[in-house]
Amino acid sequence: MRHGDEVAQEALDALLKAGADKASCGVSTSVVTELNVERAQIGLLRSTMNVNVNLMAIKDQKKGSVSLNSLEPSAIDRAATDTLAMAAVSQPDPAFDIAEAQEPASFESGAKEPDHDAMYDRMKEFLDTVADKYPTIMLRQAYLSFSRHNWSFVNSNGVDYRTEQGVYRFNALFSAREGDEVSSFNYTGFSMRDLEQELLERGSLDIMLRQTTEQVRTRPVKGKFMGDMIIAPDCLGSFLGFLTHPLSDRPLISGTSLYKDSLGEKIAGAEFTLHSRPVSSEIADGYFVTGDGYAAENSTIIDRGVLKSYLLSLYGAKKTGRERAKNNGGAYVVEPGTTPLEEAIRGVKQGVLLVRFSGGSPSANGDFSGVAKNSYYIEDGQIAYPIRETMVSGNFAEAFRNLKVVSKERVDFGWSILPWVVVPGITISGR
Amino acid sequence: MAAVDLKRYAAFLKDYTELRMQENRTIGIGFLNGNNTGNSRSSSRGVSARVYRQGSWGFASSPDPSDDSIKAVLSLAQQNADFLHAREDKGQGPLPSVVAHLEKDFSTKKPRLSQKDLLAYAKEVDNYISTEYPDLTSRSVGLSSLEIEKTLLTSEGSFYRSLIPRSFIYINLAAQANDGPVEVFDLHGGLGQFEDTLPSDEVLHSMIDRLYEHLMRKKEGVFAEAGVKTCILDAKLGGILAHEAIGHTTEADLVLSGSVAGRLLNQEVASPLITLVDFAHTAFGEVCPVPVYVDDEGTPGQDVTLIEQGVLRNFMHNKESARIFGVAPTGNARAYAFSDEPLIRMRNTAILPGDSSLEDMIASVEDGYYLIQASNGQADSTSEFMFGVVLGYEIKNGKLGRAIRDTTISGVAYDVLKTVTMVSDQHWWSSGGMCGKKQAIPVGMGGPAIKCQITLGGR
């Protein structure tokens, strides 16, 4: 197979030859090996390979993009011509641009090849341990994969980056059953550089499996009340999505962002510090180069509650007149607090421990509502019982602004490191 | 997609094997507040093989459609099946054998629209909105299409070639209310390429005008009252209820993993007014939005009646689950991309219409809500579900009242369906979304409006 570097440069040359004022090309190749479990048996071994070539051209400030998954020279040439043809018929926008010149660089992380036997052994060990430790667990689906992803990115300003990343990933979906009674399903996953540690010891897997076995018999919360919500790490990822979406291109360009005038302002509790650390050694599944072709840097989005950075792309930055973000977001690391989780629970008079949130995207004004799945009712500082048919609603912006506690403990998911957080003012309604 | 004669490889298919060549093509065009933010095309093609050996599966794929690559993919899939079989000899018997031969092509017969034509169309729509409704905070117009072209050959002799496109126009409008921005959206389209799905100016303008009216009412809207309420779920929500809340629990792989439906077969799970079918390709005399004539295991698509007059009757199957249950496969094995393995997926899942008019249904509610549009939905193996609702109105004394702000509805589907007392005589297909189950895949969801008791989130 042809090398990505060679194809990327060839495509860039073709775009410029076809008349582009500015152009870029990214070529990725990925090889994935995946062991799949269904119904507690290893049933499928997949080996997939793919390539992706993304061409982008700007001519007279008009932009076109084409992507294909062929490295054939004739296909690349055709795609370059198509990209320019698409640019020619689009609408001009002075904000279209490409990354300025940077020092060429190569980045590498993780293993180069998967260890098939180790993958099989770890998965088998996981299945045996779960069968022994949590006999009521029904594994609906689980997979352990190794992905080797190489990416070459060049643009007509002289940007020339190569990245090579190898990472193992694990995901599992499960429920528990006792006789005719079944729990809600739950799921979790994580990334890792190697398979040195047992799967059950990673991420929140053991916690989630144990909790699921407790959730076969549930009951709705009685009535409706306003209370605290402890958001568990698996669920905090969704809430960070709510929090960071208004910091991104579309809401800021359209003017609908809740945080459009909040840079330098307090938008979260003082104990809450959120970093995006795609190139940190503590993140196993990060990235080195942004989608625009800049070397990614770690950044702090919220520092002790104060908004420090938006998550704008080059286009978004030019469009809004604000600063471009140092990365694409993600790889979120929340600083640990000083309160142990047990103490945080003891501090809740009435509320829920939210383990999974099943709900729609929040409204543009921050209102959200959804079902508290795999969750627990908390009363007088004690976890009282696992719940069902219970809804939580509120405004996520208010919830983060009034955030009370960040736990001392955190979960390392490989792509994120997250604690439990306590937010007040949530409407909790059952039956 | 370059023509490759897969039949040439028939002699290489030893154990039970599927060999599939597939290309997915997309077009995306977007305007945000008049700025042309999206203008792209993509194509992803390749070959894959899946081999079954006594309960162990091996799968391999490559983007390279050459002869050497196809042979290498077949060989690697076999090696993967052998790797697992050597370690996990499950000793399971052969899969049910069903053979189909078919070709289906839903590409347009009209002259093709160029990217320039599509951009001009989207721009014209944007101009209409900005001219007619200058008071909006923001507006966006999107065109999006997906074409899936595939050829399948199985070791049993099934052969299927198809081109199934879908295309949509999306409109999103936002306005500033006293307490922050509010938004509404709608879409138009379905099976077919843009040439066959783009609406006339009259239809489109009417859709936009209606959407703006909803937005203005939502701007002044109120929060729904939390709790169990009598609601009329419009046809669009009826479809998502059929898919998310019931459909998923009756996928045989989920049944085998402990879904609540497993112990409810042949039991009354809904009002006798409810009949729910997963249609393979044709319903009510017309082609469904996501027609599956032959699935990715080479099985002809069969309609599956999941609930018949309130009684749970069947599950959806692939070959493997059909073998376990001792029934015939139903043609529900579907893969999204060339590099994906087939999973048990729904196709076009719908509650069948009843005999009430929507007007009578609304008039019958003293104090409740008419819920029109969902944003997304999720369901559980227990059939507990939730949908985001982004458009709805109060019903007071049989009449529509104030609009409501975004809310969430939830319930246990098999309980909610027992509370259904009226089903409308209209039917509506929606197919703009993707269903997520390891892989995202297009599905059709349909339904009439239903009157039921359901839990609303709110303040």
Side-chain angles (χ1 to χ4, degrees):
Chain A
M1 195 168 73
R2 302 175 72 216
H3 204 277
D5 299 349
E6 180 195 340
V7 176
Q9 191 57 53
E10 210 174 275
L12 181 64
D13 293 344
L15 288 166
L16 294 172
K17 192 176 159 195
D21 299 330
K22 297 173 179 176
S24 69
C25 180
V27 177
S28 67
T29 58
S30 61
V31 180
V32 179
T33 303
E34 186 184 274
L35 264 181
N36 285 257
V37 168
E38 261 198 50
R39 302 183 300 282
Q41 287 192 319
I42 302 175
L44 167 68
L45 174 58
R46 296 172 74 225
S47 306
T48 63
M49 184 178 54
N50 206 353
V51 298
N52 194 34
V53 184
N54 287 299
L55 298 92
M56 191 277 282
I58 300 169
K59 184 170 176 62
D60 301 328
Q61 285 310 121
K62 296 194 279 187
K63 181 174 143 183
S65 306
V66 168
S67 83
L68 68 161
N69 72 335
S70 170
L71 302 179
E72 288 299 311
S74 58
I76 301 287
D77 275 348
R78 251 194 330 274
T81 308
D82 289 348
T83 308
L84 265 297
M86 288 178 63
V89 298
S90 79
Q91 302 289 310
D93 189 333
F96 290 141
D97 207 349
I98 59 171
E100 57 268 25
Q102 296 152 80
E103 195 64 31
S106 296
F107 306 92
E108 191 172 351
S109 70
K112 284 189 185 302
E113 296 290 336
D115 183 336
H116 285 147
D117 288 325
M119 285 175 73
Y120 180 84
D121 292 344
R122 280 287 179 227
M123 188 61 110
K124 193 77 183 160
E125 171 188 70
F126 166 69
L127 295 177
D128 292 345
T129 311
V130 169
D132 184 48
K133 191 172 177 183
Y134 301 115
T136 58
I137 284 289
M138 301 189 67
L139 268 173
R140 179 166 133 190
Q141 193 179 64
Y143 62 87
L144 174 62
S145 69
F146 175 80
S147 165
R148 182 74 189 168
H149 185 254
N150 295 347
W151 190 52
S152 304
F153 183 91
V154 293
N155 80 12
S156 55
N157 281 345
V159 169
D160 187 352
Y161 286 126
R162 287 170 189 79
T163 70
E164 293 185 27
Q165 291 177 274
V167 66
Y168 289 96
R169 297 189 177 106
F170 176 82
N171 280 278
L173 180 67
F174 41 81
S175 54
R177 185 171 193 164
E178 290 181 37
D180 275 349
E181 292 183 286
V182 62
S183 75
S184 289
F185 71 77
N186 206 352
Y187 52 85
T188 190
F190 43 82
S191 299
M192 58 217 132
R193 288 193 180 85
D194 55 54
L195 294 174
E196 284 171 15
Q197 203 178 345
E198 273 192 45
L199 296 172
L200 203 56
E201 292 171 357
R202 289 188 181 266
S204 60
L205 187 56
D206 196 38
I207 299 172
M208 299 291 253
L209 287 167
R210 177 181 55 74
Q211 287 181 342
T212 302
T213 63
E214 298 166 356
Q215 293 162 356
V216 174
R217 278 172 282 277
T218 53
R219 47 188 156 127
V221 163
K222 277 187 193 157
K224 179 173 138 182
F225 64 93
M226 184 86 84
D228 289 349
M229 183 164 79
I230 301 183
I231 308 175
D234 279 84
C235 192
L236 185 59
S238 303
F239 278 81
L240 289 183
F242 298 165
L243 185 69
T244 55
H245 174 70
L247 307 177
S248 64
D249 280 9
R250 189 183 169 95
L252 286 166
I253 294 171
S254 67
T256 56
S257 169
L258 273 169
Y259 300 125
K260 61 185 175 187
D261 301 313
S262 300
L263 202 62
E265 306 284 325
K266 180 178 177 293
I267 66 163
E271 205 179 352
F272 188 76
T273 293
L274 172 67
H275 307 285
S276 174
R277 290 179 169 163
V279 293
S280 167
S281 58
E282 62 194 326
I283 295 291
D285 201 355
Y287 54 89
F288 295 108
V289 179
T290 71
D292 289 324
Y294 290 95
E297 297 174 56
N298 295 330
S299 68
T300 299
I301 314 282
I302 297 169
D303 186 10
R304 285 166 292 172
V306 175
L307 179 63
K308 290 292 182 185
S309 169
Y310 289 118
L311 289 166
L312 287 163
S313 69
L314 176 62
Y315 176 77
K318 285 186 173 265
K319 206 69 197 164
T320 58
R322 300 175 190 270
E323 198 178 340
R324 180 183 61 79
K326 290 183 164 63
N327 54 48
N328 290 342
Y332 292 126
V333 177
V334 174
E335 292 269 332
T338 53
T339 312
L341 176 61
E342 272 194 28
E343 197 180 317
I345 294 169
R346 280 203 297 275
V348 174
K349 175 78 183 147
Q350 197 180 17
V352 292
L353 168 60
L354 186 74
V355 179
R356 180 161 72 89
F357 176 72
S358 177
S361 300
S363 307
N365 68 3
D367 287 345
F368 71 90
S369 63
V371 183
K373 306 290 294 187
N374 307 94
S375 299
Y376 294 86
Y377 174 59
I378 304 173
E379 193 173 70
D380 295 329
Q382 301 277 332
I383 289 185
Y385 52 84
I387 56 178
R388 65 180 152 83
E389 295 177 78
T390 299
M391 297 193 84
V392 291
S393 55
N395 182 287
F396 77 79
E398 280 174 30
F400 274 98
R401 203 175 296 120
N402 299 319
L403 181 143
K404 289 160 81 171
V405 177
V406 177
S407 75
K408 194 174 169 182
E409 302 89 339
R410 295 186 301 171
V411 172
D412 180 357
F413 295 102
W415 59 72
S416 256
I417 302 174
L418 305 176
W420 284 256
V421 301
V422 185
V423 294
I426 303 299
T427 302
I428 298 160
S429 57
R431 281 192 162 182
Chain B
M1 187 165 70
V4 175
D5 180 12
L6 289 188
K7 289 177 182 168
R8 284 171 48 206
Y9 301 92
F12 293 88
L13 314 187
K14 291 171 189 160
D15 288 321
Y16 169 81
T17 305
E18 299 142 9
L19 177 63
R20 178 161 43 97
M21 183 78 79
Q22 183 172 333
E23 179 170 10
N24 291 9
R25 295 182 288 271
T26 67
I27 298 175
I29 286 172
F31 281 86
L32 174 60
N33 291 348
N35 298 305
N36 186 191
T37 50
N39 180 27
S40 64
R41 286 186 178 237
S42 78
S43 133
S44 180
R45 62 167 190 176
V47 62
S48 68
R50 189 170 70 142
V51 173
Y52 175 84
R53 190 167 175 202
Q54 294 175 30
S56 292
W57 291 93
F59 181 94
S61 71
S62 166
D64 180 358
S66 70
D67 179 61
D68 286 348
S69 168
I70 292 172
K71 287 175 184 164
V73 161
L74 279 164
S75 169
L76 184 53
Q78 182 73 54
Q79 282 173 42
N80 285 346
D82 292 346
F83 177 93
L84 282 190
H85 177 65
R87 288 162 178 78
E88 303 255 325
D89 185 357
K90 301 185 183 82
Q92 290 177 7
L95 299 168
S97 176
V98 193
V99 175
H101 287 86
L102 207 61
E103 298 198 21
K104 284 285 174 184
D105 181 353
F106 286 91
S107 55
T108 186
K109 305 294 179 280
K110 297 175 185 168
R112 297 306 313 268
L113 294 170
S114 67
Q115 193 85 3
K116 183 180 181 181
D117 297 329
L118 294 172
L119 276 157
Y121 180 91
K123 181 67 185 158
E124 200 179 303
V125 177
D126 183 69
N127 287 341
Y128 175 81
I129 299 171
S130 65
T131 307
E132 294 293 317
Y133 304 113
D135 54 335
L136 293 171
T137 310
S138 115
R139 63 186 190 279
S140 69
V141 177
L143 295 182
S144 171
S145 75
L146 167 68
E147 296 174 14
I148 300 181
E149 184 175 8
K150 61 174 76 168
T151 308
L152 173 79
L153 177 73
T154 73
S155 52
E156 297 168 332
S158 279
F159 182 81
Y160 181 49
R161 181 177 289 150
S162 64
L163 196 164
I164 312 289
R166 70 171 196 170
S167 50
F168 294 90
I169 177 167
Y170 298 84
I171 310 282
N172 188 303
L173 308 178
Q176 191 67 29
N178 287 337
D179 57 346
V182 290
E183 293 176 301
V184 291
F185 78 92
D186 206 351
L187 73 166
H188 186 285
L191 175 67
Q193 292 168 319
F194 283 122
E195 292 77 1
D196 297 325
T197 63
L198 286 180
S200 66
D201 285 354
E202 192 186 347
V203 169
L204 186 68
H205 293 170
S206 155
M207 177 178 125
I208 293 167
D209 298 345
R210 226 175 22 248
L211 196 58
Y212 178 79
E213 198 184 318
H214 283 311
L215 180 67
M216 290 301 108
R217 294 189 65 180
K218 187 173 173 180
K219 196 175 138 182
E220 307 303 328
V222 295
F223 291 103
E225 198 182 318
V228 178
K229 303 288 172 191
T230 301
C231 293
I232 307 295
L233 305 188
D234 196 54
K236 291 176 189 170
L237 270 84
I240 197 166
L241 184 75
H243 173 95
E244 289 290 351
I246 299 294
H248 278 301
T249 67
T250 58
E251 293 166 329
D253 54 340
L254 269 68
V255 173
L256 288 167
S257 301
S259 140
V260 69
R263 61 179 172 82
L264 297 175
L265 200 63
N266 295 320
Q267 291 185 34
E268 192 172 298
V269 295
S271 150
L273 296 173
I274 297 293
T275 294
L276 198 160
V277 180
D278 182 56
F279 291 102
H281 48 77
T282 308
F284 315 115
E286 292 182 1
V287 177
C288 294
V290 183
V292 177
Y293 290 88
V294 177
D295 75 2
D296 291 319
E297 292 179 338
T299 301
Q302 305 290 326
D303 296 345
V304 183
T305 300
L306 302 168
I307 296 177
E308 186 179 24
Q309 295 180 335
V311 178
L312 183 66
R313 289 294 186 203
N314 295 292
F315 302 135
M316 290 170 276
H317 290 284
N318 61 8
K319 281 176 183 268
E320 192 169 25
S321 73
R323 184 183 60 73
I324 295 167
F325 280 80
V327 298
T330 51
N332 285 86
R334 303 176 59 205
Y336 173 63
F338 76 90
S339 53
D340 287 329
E341 75 279 21
L343 306 173
I344 298 177
R345 309 304 296 262
M346 282 172 264
R347 299 155 307 184
N348 305 277
T349 315
I351 294 172
L352 299 192
D355 54 13
S356 299
S357 74
L358 181 60
E359 293 72 25
D360 287 348
M361 290 170 70
I362 291 170
S364 73
V365 178
E366 197 174 318
D367 183 15
Y369 294 95
Y370 173 44
L371 307 175
I372 301 173
Q373 193 159 40
S375 54
N376 68 328
Q378 292 172 1
D380 203 331
S381 44
T382 57
S383 94
E384 188 177 9
F385 66 91
M386 86 79 214
F387 309 144
V389 175
V390 291
L391 190 61
Y393 289 88
E394 293 175 329
I395 306 176
K396 299 285 182 194
N397 301 316
K399 294 196 172 6
L400 291 184
R402 297 170 296 180
I404 57 168
R405 292 294 182 79
D406 294 355
T407 186
T408 302
I409 56 172
S410 68
V412 174
Y414 289 115
D415 293 344
V416 169
L417 286 184
K418 284 179 182 157
T419 70
V420 172
T421 51
M422 295 175 95
V423 177
S424 83
D425 51 10
Q426 301 164 317
H427 183 270
W428 175 273
W429 281 118
S430 59
S431 58
M434 302 283 268
C435 168
K437 181 181 168 185
K438 194 179 181 198
Q439 312 150 18
I441 204 162
V443 287
M445 297 183 283
I450 59 173
K451 180 183 172 185
C452 61
Q453 300 284 315
I454 209 160
T455 305
L456 267 81
R459 288 189 171 180

